[in-house]
Amino acid sequence: MTFGMGCFWGPESRFGYHPGVIRTRVGYAGGKEGQPTSKNTLDYTEALHIQYDSNQLSLDQILTQFFEQHNTTRAPRSIKYRSVLFYQSEEQKDKMLQKVEHIKQHHGRCYTDVEPLDTFYEAEIRHQKYYLQRWKPVYETWQQLEGKEFLVDSTLAARLNGFSKDCGSLQELMLEFSDSGYHTLWSVIEEVSKETKNQARESCDIVCKSK
C-alpha cells in the first residue's frame, strides 16, 4: 500500500514499527512530469510504500492509523507534502473513499486525495530508514548483522527505524527477533539508551544548578 502524509521520514518510522508490516520504502508518486529526485520532486508527492502481512494487519487498520497520524482537515502547503492515498485495486479505492467521506461528515472537510498508483519512484538510499541511519552506533551494528544492501527490505531495519523515534520497546524487539545472533545489537541499544539518559540527567543538573 502507498500513501503520502507530509515528509516521508516520520511516517516510515511510525508505520515501520507497526506489527504486521514486513518492509517499508520511501519515494515519490502521483506526478506526471518525469522522474523525480530529492532535489527536484517535480509534481510528485513524497510517499511511503509498505508491504504487510494481511493475517496480522488489515487495510482498515492501516487507514485508521493514516488518518489518526496527521491532520487531513488542513489544506496542504504543497503538492510535495500533500495527504494522498494511492489505490491499486477497486477494493482499496472503495475503502479509501469511504474513510475520506467519513472524515468529511464529521469535520466538514478532508484534504486527502484518492488516486490510482501509476508509478512509484524509490527515493535515494540516504532517505531510507532515515532515523536509523542517524542512530550511528545502532545502525553500524545492524549493518554488521544484515548488511547495508538490505536496508530497504529488512523488517528489523523498519522496526529499529521506528524504535529510534520512541515507537515500541526493546523488549518487544527482543521478542520478535529472538535469534541469539541479535544479542550484540540489543547490548548496543541498551548502552546507547543509558548514555542518552545520563546526558539528559547531566543537562538537567546544569540547568538546575544555574538557577
Side-chain angles (χ1 to χ4, degrees), residues 115-133:
E115 300 175 2
L117 179 65
D118 293 324
T119 306
F120 178 85
Y121 289 98
E122 189 172 301
E124 299 88 337
I125 194 66
R126 68 179 182 273
H127 292 294
Q128 307 295 336
K129 313 297 185 296
Y130 178 79
Y131 296 113
L132 172 58
Q133 291 198 61

Side-chain angles (χ1 to χ4, degrees), residues 26-69:
V26 295
Y28 313 97
K32 304 292 183 185
E33 293 184 1
Q35 185 165 340
T37 66
S38 60
K39 293 184 178 180
N40 186 2
T41 57
L42 303 172
D43 62 338
Y44 285 79
T45 299
E46 288 200 2
L48 169 65
H49 175 77
I50 64 172
Q51 182 180 340
Y52 63 95
D53 182 350
S54 58
N55 292 318
Q56 298 184 57
L57 190 60
S58 69
L59 176 58
D60 284 328
Q61 288 174 305
I62 295 172
L63 291 174
T64 296
Q65 289 295 315
F66 172 87
F67 284 104
E68 287 181 350
Q69 289 186 15

Side-chain angles (χ1 to χ4, degrees), residues 1 5 32 42 49 80 112 114 116 132 142 159 165 173 179 199 203-204:
M1 180 175 170
M5 47 190 294
K32 304 292 183 185
L42 303 172
H49 175 77
K80 181 179 180 180
T112 299
V114 176
L132 172 58
W142 170 82
R159 298 288 189 273
K165 293 300 289 180
L173 286 173
D179 190 288
Q199 290 172 357
S203 176
C204 180

Side-chain angles (χ1 to χ4, degrees), residues 51-114:
Q51 182 180 340
Y52 63 95
D53 182 350
S54 58
N55 292 318
Q56 298 184 57
L57 190 60
S58 69
L59 176 58
D60 284 328
Q61 288 174 305
I62 295 172
L63 291 174
T64 296
Q65 289 295 315
F66 172 87
F67 284 104
E68 287 181 350
Q69 289 186 15
H70 72 300
N71 186 356
T72 64
T73 65
R74 184 174 58 195
R77 55 194 172 107
S78 66
I79 291 176
K80 181 179 180 180
Y81 297 122
R82 68 188 171 122
S83 175
V84 56
L85 292 162
F86 295 102
Y87 62 86
Q88 293 178 276
S89 69
E90 287 302 309
E91 178 189 6
Q92 287 185 348
K93 178 182 178 181
D94 291 343
K95 290 196 173 187
M96 290 171 180
L97 289 173
Q98 287 173 15
K99 289 285 187 179
V100 169
E101 188 59 32
H102 178 78
I103 298 295
K104 287 180 178 179
Q105 289 177 1
H106 284 76
H107 299 282
R109 59 188 179 277
C110 179
Y111 289 98
T112 299
D113 296 319
V114 176

Side-chain angles (χ1 to χ4, degrees), residues 7-14 24-26 38 46 48 123-136 139 151-152 157-158 160-162 164-165:
C7 174
F8 47 35
W9 293 338
E12 184 179 34
S13 67
R14 295 192 296 274
T24 65
R25 65 189 66 209
V26 295
S38 60
E46 288 200 2
L48 169 65
E124 299 88 337
I125 194 66
R126 68 179 182 273
H127 292 294
Q128 307 295 336
K129 313 297 185 296
Y130 178 79
Y131 296 113
L132 172 58
Q133 291 198 61
R134 291 170 65 87
W135 203 16
K136 293 297 184 182
Y139 178 55
L151 182 63
V152 171
L160 291 172
N161 191 49
S164 70
K165 293 300 289 180

